[in-house]
């Protein structure tokens, strides 16, 4: 029998059992839909995360009390000693360290005139922070060493804060209140944009010495630094580690009571996370397709039984085994193929909704579509083989007698 | 000789019991014969028809169709013979309900792997011959019993088979319509077709020129009128 005829005939059959076909497809639709949706979201996540990683820079070492990615006992973390500004300065003096910017953070209300921006990130740091953490000044200037040395009440505004407090006016030279203290605006930074729905521009930066005077010294300092020219990341990190162990009096065989973070830690942590996501997805999709496939097999067996007489007639007028087998196999593959198609549409729709409604830039990848389609087709083929073979092997005479 | 049956038997095993549906059948059918097989139910006439129609194989003995031994062929070889040599007409028509008359008639050609252009021409020709040109695109459910049996006849004839096998072809029709169908059989026979009719009705069998009667799996009489 020509393949075209087989296809047409299969479509006719499936159309005449719309409800049953639809229900049978459901498992496949869910399986392939989940595959496309999750893969699209992971692709989106990858995209936004890699953008964030790039903003950190590959050669930045960030020493802090807690690791960026925490795995283990948080009780232990809480008892750690704070990192002090003196620690930071000692690190800055290491020959293997190039640039170093200590930074501390709090959240305060910022006010100007009648306007208040609530609970905004206030960062205390030094002039080097501009280079290391990649801030660009839009107007005015960044904080300087002189601001720091003299504990000046200078402040550089993030783009969001400038906009909300001053609207279209020029903030430079105006006095604002940061956590109730008076500061003079010396600069406004360029907008950096959003990551995961959180604006990177909702912050102000003040000299670290001024920060400690205004908001207290009892805060752990984060040490951001880069290796000196010609020194490897590895060596720089090792020297920082040894220095801090001595300064913090860590007993010889104890683990570090501080964390040295790099972008590659984030990358590997992130990969571990997406790895788990992928495994979960494989599980869900595999299960859905298995259930869907069993459903397909069940329906195909029912269909073979119902159409025993038809099979008998077809054989009586000259159909061979393979004609019948192929017909049922094609039906099963069309069933799962359509299910896969609907799943891909549904999964893509979910991806677009996610993209529209959340900051996650979900993107439907060709890989996801091809994978979902081939899984669906393979399921149809696998679970269709048994019923189709059974149909092909029916004895024509007995099939014709079947009521 | 078109059909040669020699010492043909069919034994079914029902549980532990052996049932002899046919015992030692010896019979020949020449080309262009018009033969009726008669007998009460259980006499073995359906089994005989199934074997002649290559839907079933004999347990013992030999069945030669156009000189070729058929008893030892496998499934697909039998399918090939059904496709080229046999045309079936059933009591219940056995049309495929989701297909139009045209598609039903076309089906044997598709299984016979005929080219599309050839198929279309042949189907129209055959459907015209049974007088259903204007009903070609209707489904069986939209056709009367007589029309359905004509479609079934067209389907049986489309591959120009050596034998037209009809199992109670008028059993589901009223007598007028049945008579019309028998008229077509007569014409087909006059045009050179070999026809084997299975029936238990005397007046239907009388359309044939030769009547073979079966009783308990054996030929009890074989008369030519």
């Amino acid at each position: 029998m020509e393949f075209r005829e087989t296809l047409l005939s299969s479509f006719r059959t499936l159309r005449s059992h719309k409800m049953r076909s639809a229900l049978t497809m459901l498992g496949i639709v869910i399986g392939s839909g989940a595959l496309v949706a999750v893969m699209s979201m992971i692709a989106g996540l990858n995209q936004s995360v890699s953008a964030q990683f790039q903003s950190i820079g590959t050669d930045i070492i960030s020493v802090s009390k807690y690791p960026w990615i925490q795995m283990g006992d948080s009780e232990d973390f809480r008892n750690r000693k704070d990192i002090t500004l003196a620690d930071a300065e000692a690190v800055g003096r290491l020959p293997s360290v190039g640039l170093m910017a200590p930074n501390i953070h709090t959240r305060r209300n910022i006010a100007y005139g009648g306007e208040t921006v609530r609970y905004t990130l206030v960062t205390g740091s030094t002039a080097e922070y501009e280079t290391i953490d990649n801030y660009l000044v839009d107007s005015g200037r960044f904080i300087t060493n002189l601001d720091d040395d003299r504990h000046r009440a200078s402040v550089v505004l993030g783009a969001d804060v400038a906009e909300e407090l001053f609207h279209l006016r020029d903030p430079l030279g105006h006095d604002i209140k940061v956590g109730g203290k008076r500061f003079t605006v010396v600069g406004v930074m360029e907008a950096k944009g959003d990551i995961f729905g959180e604006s990177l521009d909702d912050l102000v930066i003040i000299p670290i010495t001024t920060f400690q005077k205004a908001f207290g010294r009892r805060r752990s300092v984060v040490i951001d630094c880069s290796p000196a020219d010609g020194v490897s990341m590895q060596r720089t990190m090792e020297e920082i580690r040894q220095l801090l162990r001595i300064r913090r009096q860590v007993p010889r065989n104890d683990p570090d009571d501080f964390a040295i973070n790099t972008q590659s830690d984030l990358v590997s942590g992130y990969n571990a996370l997406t790895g788990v996501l992928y495994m979960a997805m494989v599980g869900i999709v595999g299960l859905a397709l298995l259930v869907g496939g069993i459903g397909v097999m069940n329906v195909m067996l029912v269909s073979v039984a119902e159409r025993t007489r038809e099979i008998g007639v077809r054989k009586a007028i000259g159909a061979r085994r393979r004609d019948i087998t192929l017909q049922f196999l094609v039906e099963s593959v069309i069933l799962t193929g359509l299910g896969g198609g609907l799943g891909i549409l549904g999964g893509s729709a979910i991806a677009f909704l996610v993209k529209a409604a959340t900051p996650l830039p979900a993107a439907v990848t060709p890989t996801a579509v091809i994978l979902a389609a081939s899984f669906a087709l393979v399921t149809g083929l696998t679970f269709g083989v048994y019923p189709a073979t059974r149909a092909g092997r029916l004895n024509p005479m007995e099939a014709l007698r079947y009521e | 000789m078109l059909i040669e049956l020699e010492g043909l038997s069919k034994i079914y095993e029902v549980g532990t019991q052996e049932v002899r549906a046919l015992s030692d059948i010896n019979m020949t059918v020449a080309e262009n014969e018009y033969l009726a097989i008669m007998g009460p139910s259980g006499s073995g006439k359906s089994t005989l028809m199934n074997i002649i129609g290559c839907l079933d194989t004999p347990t013992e003995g030999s069945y030669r169709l156009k000189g070729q031994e058929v008893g030892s062929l496998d499934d697909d070889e039998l399918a090939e013979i059904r496709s080229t040599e046999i045309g079936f007409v059933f009591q219940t028509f056995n049309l495929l309900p989701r297909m139009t008359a045209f598609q039903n008639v076309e089906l044997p050609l598709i299984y016979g792997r005929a080219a599309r252009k050839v198929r279309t021409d042949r189907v129209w020709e055959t459907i015209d011959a049974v007088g259903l040109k204007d009903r070609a695109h209707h489904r069986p459910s939209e056709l009367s019993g007589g029309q359905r049996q004509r479609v079934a006849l067209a389907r049986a004839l489309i591959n120009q088979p050596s034998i037209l096998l009809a199992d109670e072809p008028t059993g589901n029709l009223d007598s007028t319509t049945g008579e019309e169908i028998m008229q077509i059989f007569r014409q087909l026979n006059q045009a050179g077709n070999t026809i084997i009719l299975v029936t238990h009705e005397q007046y239907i069998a009388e359309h044939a020129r030769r009547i073979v009667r079966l009783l308990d799996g054996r030929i009890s009489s074989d008369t030519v009128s």
Side-chain angles (χ1 to χ4, degrees), chain A residues 82-94 100-104 126 208-209 212 217 219-223 240 243-244 246-248:
Chain A
D82 285 346
I83 294 170
T84 64
L85 198 51
D87 290 334
E89 280 158 2
V91 166
R93 282 192 297 272
L94 282 172
M100 192 283 293
N103 49 93
I104 39 183
T126 60
I208 193 163
T209 50
Q212 288 191 323
R217 292 171 189 279
R219 265 187 197 82
S220 188
V221 174
V222 177
I223 310 167
I240 293 170
L243 175 75
L244 288 178
I246 293 163
R247 287 185 63 90
R248 292 162 68 85

Side-chain angles (χ1 to χ4, degrees), chain B residues 93 95 132 140-153:
Chain B
F93 323 132
L95 298 175
L132 279 178
S141 57
E142 298 157 341
L143 300 174
S144 71
Q147 287 170 332
R148 287 184 213 185
Q149 198 57 300
R150 282 164 196 250
V151 175
L153 250 170

Side-chain angles (χ1 to χ4, degrees), chain A residues 20 22 56 75 102 163 226 252 338 368:
Chain A
R20 184 203 282 179
I56 295 167
E75 194 72 31
E163 153 100 44
S226 59
R252 182 179 291 269
L338 283 177

Side-chain angles (χ1 to χ4, degrees), chain A residues 84-154:
Chain A
T84 64
L85 198 51
D87 290 334
E89 280 158 2
V91 166
R93 282 192 297 272
L94 282 172
S96 61
V97 170
L99 286 173
M100 192 283 293
N103 49 93
I104 39 183
H105 311 271
T106 185
R107 285 192 176 268
R108 295 292 148 117
N109 293 345
I110 318 280
Y112 173 76
E115 306 278 357
T116 302
V117 188
R118 295 194 175 280
Y119 205 62
T120 292
L121 181 68
V122 178
T123 295
S125 193
T126 60
E128 286 79 11
Y129 198 58
E130 182 183 14
T131 316
I132 292 181
D133 282 60
N134 214 6
Y135 282 103
L136 293 171
V137 171
D138 183 52
S139 67
R141 60 175 178 81
F142 204 73
I143 50 173
T144 60
N145 290 332
L146 209 60
D147 288 328
D148 202 31
D149 291 346
R150 302 199 171 161
H151 309 337
R152 275 185 192 153
S154 308

Side-chain angles (χ1 to χ4, degrees), chain A residues 59-245:
Chain A
D59 60 344
I60 298 302
I61 298 163
S62 182
V63 185
S64 55
K65 203 164 135 185
Y66 309 118
W68 281 348
I69 296 157
Q70 295 191 16
M71 294 194 205
D73 192 1
S74 55
E75 194 72 31
D76 167 56
F77 291 148
R78 243 174 276 150
N79 294 328
R80 289 181 168 184
K81 274 192 284 187
D82 285 346
I83 294 170
T84 64
L85 198 51
D87 290 334
E89 280 158 2
V91 166
R93 282 192 297 272
L94 282 172
S96 61
V97 170
L99 286 173
M100 192 283 293
N103 49 93
I104 39 183
H105 311 271
T106 185
R107 285 192 176 268
R108 295 292 148 117
N109 293 345
I110 318 280
Y112 173 76
E115 306 278 357
T116 302
V117 188
R118 295 194 175 280
Y119 205 62
T120 292
L121 181 68
V122 178
T123 295
S125 193
T126 60
E128 286 79 11
Y129 198 58
E130 182 183 14
T131 316
I132 292 181
D133 282 60
N134 214 6
Y135 282 103
L136 293 171
V137 171
D138 183 52
S139 67
R141 60 175 178 81
F142 204 73
I143 50 173
T144 60
N145 290 332
L146 209 60
D147 288 328
D148 202 31
D149 291 346
R150 302 199 171 161
H151 309 337
R152 275 185 192 153
S154 308
V155 64
V156 182
L157 303 184
D160 285 359
V161 177
E163 153 100 44
E164 280 180 56
L165 292 185
F166 291 93
H167 306 290
L168 294 170
R169 282 165 292 166
D170 183 6
L172 291 183
H174 289 276
D175 284 354
I176 62 167
K177 290 275 172 75
V178 176
K181 307 266 192 318
R182 183 195 296 263
F183 281 79
T184 307
V185 178
V186 296
V188 177
M189 286 178 291
E190 266 182 24
K192 273 188 154 187
D194 291 3
I195 271 178
F196 297 133
E198 194 147 338
S199 173
L200 296 171
D201 304 310
D202 185 21
L203 88 166
V204 300
I205 299 174
I206 59 177
I208 193 163
T209 50
T210 318
F211 184 106
Q212 288 191 323
K213 220 171 85 180
F215 306 117
R217 292 171 189 279
R218 298 175 60 84
R219 265 187 197 82
S220 188
V221 174
V222 177
I223 310 167
D224 287 353
C225 56
S226 59
D229 281 347
V231 182
S232 72
M233 285 282 279
Q234 231 48 47
R235 211 186 111 204
T236 311
M237 284 161 71
E238 191 49 34
E239 285 190 13
I240 293 170
R241 202 169 84 88
Q242 295 307 340
L243 175 75
L244 288 178
R245 283 180 72 90

